[in-house]
Amino acid sequence: GTESRSYTSSGSMIVVSNRLPFVLKRNDLSGKLERKASAGGLVTAVAPVVINGNGIWVGWPGMHMDNPNEQIPESDPTDRTPTAGLLSKKVVAVHVEPTVFDSYYNGCCNGTFWPLFHSMPDRATFIADHWKAYSTVNEEFAAKTVNALEMIHKEQAGQVSGTPLVWVHDYHLMLCANWIRQAADEKNLKLKLGFFLHIPFPPWDIFRLFPWADEILQGMLGCDMVGFHIQDYCLNFVDCCQRSLGCRVDRKNLLVEHGGRTVRVRPLPIGIPFDRFVSLAETAPKVMSTNLKIVLGVDRLDYTKGLVHRLKAFEMLLEKHPEHREQVTLLQIAVPSRTDVREYQDLKLEIDQLIGSINGRFTTPNWSPIRYIYGCVSQDELAAFYRDAAVALVTPLRDGMNLVAKEFVACQINTPPGVLIVSPFAGAGEMMHEALICNPYEIDDAAEVIHRALTMPEDERTLRMNHLRRRERIYDVNHWMKSFLQVMGSLEERDSVGATV
Ligand code: ADQ
């Protein structure tokens, strides 16, 4: 098959993200700290660039430590994950006092920015103390990033090497850039600064509801380049800069002038490790023994994912098209998320009740319409679900990109293939043209779209899926990584085949 390549940056890369690419756990028996790897595609693509380029990762270690000077452990010798080669001296852990961290993370990040940026302002809280904590934590991240930059400059003293590249991730860290830039300037440390937002950037009318909106924009404009998944988010950002800050902007070339510098704004749609999902799908054992057609949903349990609307649409399908009863089952997998937040607990209850009522209404002695898994599943199981499903329902009310849509098409290796249904309000809906598009708010129509997917002729399914797969194979997560290095002017392509996991 086509092996996707990994790339090298010309200068060392410092990645700054809320969480490190692994979290620390204390072993109950030995009392020692251990690394617990994360399995995400982003880490798969970014970790090799950090490791190969002798870079550094700055982030929160996933737990509060009584002694912040306690050493981060090296990786276990049996560790085969992408971060195994990340030496402890290349990891900078950011420690924050628990109450401040709570105001920053649960308060400002997930209580304010998450709903606001997903255009759900009624769910957002605007609390000055949370914003203050956000600012404090961002300052701490910036300080640690400058330490990392100093380490890299020291190591490279005298050697000819590219300019170090700092890559800040996501809505947790929108204020870091100026502090990093100022401190680096004072210390005469060269750098390039890039930012990537993993969630949508809202239109001005929504964004300006945030009382300190200008400061966010100024923070992001501290970078040389600001990346979003799609063009729409780029245009929203440019528009906000013009209307809130009065910046001179160039919409065609996506440029913003600020503080005597020109900031580039770029759409950089993220992809998945396509080949990895194909091989998982090729080897994963069957997990469902059933002759029923599976309609699949896989989401973090989050109000942006449109789970309630989806369940209602499925109920409507069974009502309007009774021929699907006892033929089809909805398999919904929901990953527990932000479980200490009240809104997420309420949503869980609402979903439990709705599933109970739909199953109560339609279940027969040999069939029930909905199978519901509340929990994590292994990568193998996930790939098997994706492979063996007839239809995937990816119907968020709003979503930056949505990787589930992409993982589903990667795993569709059986002939004839299944059908993808995607919401136009996900970034993924923008480019996956051959999917069936479904507005999750319009329940009746959503039911009709599911019906159409279930009755689509084989040749049409094949044609659509071939196109979808071809695109995702090319625009995979390594391509995203490469595009970032390219826009930063830091791409040094090695001619070798990528390090595969
Ligand atoms: P998320 O909101 O988390 O990401 P998504 O893009 O769908 O949403 O990614 C979810 C990931 O979790 C997928 O890779 C999926 O495989 C995994 N996953 C889901 N259910 C699982 C389960 N039961 N067990 C194990 N793994 C499971 C944010 C933004 C998105 C954006 C990404 C990347 O909200 O819009 O696409 O970042 O930029």
Side-chain angles (χ1 to χ4, degrees):
T2 46
E3 195 84 53
S4 147
R5 280 189 290 185
S6 78
Y7 297 88
T8 308
S9 59
S10 54
S12 298
M13 186 157 86
I14 301 174
V15 174
V16 191
S17 60
N18 176 57
R19 273 179 197 249
L20 288 171
F22 52 79
V23 293
L24 295 182
K25 282 264 156 72
R26 195 170 296 284
N27 186 308
D28 288 339
L29 292 173
S30 67
K32 286 194 181 133
L33 288 177
E34 287 170 356
R35 295 186 186 192
K36 210 171 154 268
S38 334
L42 183 144
V43 171
T44 313
V46 179
V49 180
V50 174
I51 294 166
N52 298 339
N54 214 9
I56 293 177
W57 204 305
V58 180
W60 185 61
M63 67 179 282
H64 295 291
M65 278 152 62
D66 296 330
N67 172 13
N69 295 322
E70 189 173 349
Q71 284 274 311
I72 293 175
E74 297 297 344
S75 63
D76 196 80
T78 59
D79 189 349
R80 293 282 171 274
T81 65
T83 57
L86 192 61
L87 302 175
S88 293
K89 62 175 183 185
K90 297 290 174 186
V91 176
V92 175
V94 181
H95 300 284
V96 183
E97 201 214 314
T99 55
V100 177
F101 190 86
D102 184 63
S103 295
Y104 148 79
Y105 185 71
N106 291 320
C108 202
C109 294
N110 292 334
T112 308
F113 294 142
W114 179 264
L116 188 69
F117 281 44
H118 286 87
S119 293
M120 301 179 175
D122 289 352
R123 292 185 185 262
T125 54
F126 303 109
I127 297 170
D129 278 348
H130 291 172
W131 170 239
K132 210 174 133 210
Y134 184 85
S135 182
T136 305
V137 173
N138 270 250
E139 218 174 334
E140 183 58 26
F141 269 83
K144 285 286 163 64
T145 305
V146 175
N147 291 347
L149 193 61
E150 277 178 306
M151 279 161 61
I152 282 173
H153 275 273
K154 254 185 217 135
E155 261 177 27
Q156 290 180 351
Q159 283 170 271
V160 191
S161 189
T163 308
L165 174 60
V166 175
W167 191 4
V168 181
H169 284 263
D170 228 0
Y171 61 103
H172 312 90
L173 300 171
M174 295 185 288
L175 285 185
C176 279
N178 284 312
W179 284 310
I180 298 173
R181 180 179 291 284
Q182 277 158 20
D185 279 353
E186 280 162 21
K187 294 172 196 250
N188 233 332
L189 305 171
K190 274 207 202 149
L191 85 167
K192 297 183 201 172
L193 254 169
F195 181 85
F196 186 79
L197 189 74
H198 289 265
I199 64 175
F201 196 90
W204 181 65
D205 240 6
I206 300 280
F207 184 69
R208 65 175 172 149
L209 299 177
F210 185 63
W212 307 276
D214 289 3
E215 289 174 56
I216 298 282
L217 296 174
Q218 280 157 354
M220 292 169 79
L221 290 170
C223 295
D224 301 303
M225 193 282 302
V226 181
F228 301 93
H229 286 302
I230 60 172
Q231 182 91 356
D232 280 345
Y233 309 157
C234 293
L235 288 170
N236 286 343
F237 177 74
V238 170
D239 195 42
C240 285
C241 291
Q242 186 184 38
R243 300 175 84 166
S244 289
L245 300 181
C247 297
R248 248 171 54 131
V249 303
D250 176 344
R251 281 193 170 69
K252 192 165 150 272
N253 298 303
L254 293 174
L255 302 171
V256 178
E257 274 183 24
H258 181 68
R261 295 180 305 110
T262 301
V263 179
R264 279 171 305 151
V265 181
R266 289 288 174 274
L268 296 171
I270 199 169
I272 57 159
F274 188 92
D275 299 333
R276 195 217 304 173
F277 276 96
V278 172
S279 28
L280 277 171
E282 281 167 354
T283 53
K286 227 173 151 49
V287 272
M288 296 173 288
S289 56
T290 174
N291 295 320
L292 299 169
K293 280 186 181 173
I294 307 292
V295 176
L296 179 68
V298 176
D299 310 80
R300 269 189 312 104
L301 196 129
D302 193 294
Y303 51 80
T304 60
K305 302 292 182 183
L307 289 160
V308 169
H309 295 71
R310 184 183 309 166
L311 291 167
K312 288 181 177 163
F314 191 71
E315 181 175 30
M316 186 69 78
L317 170 84
L318 298 176
E319 197 178 298
K320 291 233 178 121
H321 296 281
E323 69 271 26
H324 294 304
R325 295 182 198 172
E326 304 198 295
Q327 304 297 314
V328 172
T329 192
L330 171 64
L331 173 64
Q332 178 63 53
I333 303 168
V335 191
S337 178
R338 305 175 194 171
T339 45
D340 42 358
V341 178
R342 173 76 190 284
E343 272 206 280
Y344 288 77
Q345 296 163 1
D346 292 348
L347 178 66
K348 158 104 183 7
L349 278 182
E350 188 182 358
I351 290 168
D352 284 352
Q353 277 170 8
L354 193 53
I355 291 174
S357 104
I358 298 169
N359 274 345
R361 179 173 168 199
F362 291 102
T363 295
T364 62
N366 297 310
W367 171 76
S368 47
I370 302 174
R371 297 182 187 184
Y372 178 47
I373 300 176
Y374 176 67
C376 258
V377 297
S378 71
Q379 292 284 296
D380 264 333
E381 277 177 303
L382 188 62
F385 289 139
Y386 284 144
R387 181 194 59 206
D388 299 332
V391 176
L393 270 177
V394 180
T395 54
L397 306 178
R398 185 70 80 182
D399 211 337
M401 175 57 77
N402 193 295
L403 301 177
V404 169
K406 296 174 178 240
E407 293 166 4
F408 170 70
V409 304
C411 292
Q412 281 290 305
I413 55 171
N414 291 341
T415 40
V419 179
L420 173 66
I421 298 176
V422 67
S423 154
F425 313 123
E430 189 91 337
M431 283 176 79
M432 302 182 87
H433 308 295
E434 301 79 8
L436 294 186
I437 304 296
C438 154
N439 179 344
Y441 290 96
E442 197 186 352
I443 308 282
D444 291 283
D445 185 61
E448 289 311 311
V449 176
I450 302 171
H451 173 68
R452 193 174 155 213
L454 286 167
T455 53
M456 188 185 284
E458 278 184 27
D459 52 349
E460 184 180 348
R461 272 148 53 190
T462 305
L463 197 64
R464 287 175 184 267
M465 192 53 74
N466 284 347
H467 280 290
L468 287 166
R469 286 174 55 86
R470 192 171 309 146
R471 189 181 301 109
E472 294 310 322
R473 185 182 295 121
I474 297 168
Y475 298 106
D476 71 352
V477 73
N478 280 321
H479 180 275
W480 175 73
M481 185 65 241
K482 178 184 172 187
S483 308
F484 173 75
L485 293 175
Q486 217 154 26
V487 298
M488 297 304 296
S490 296
L491 178 64
E492 202 157 72
E493 196 178 313
R494 290 177 316 156
D495 230 3
S496 63
V497 172
T500 43
V501 190

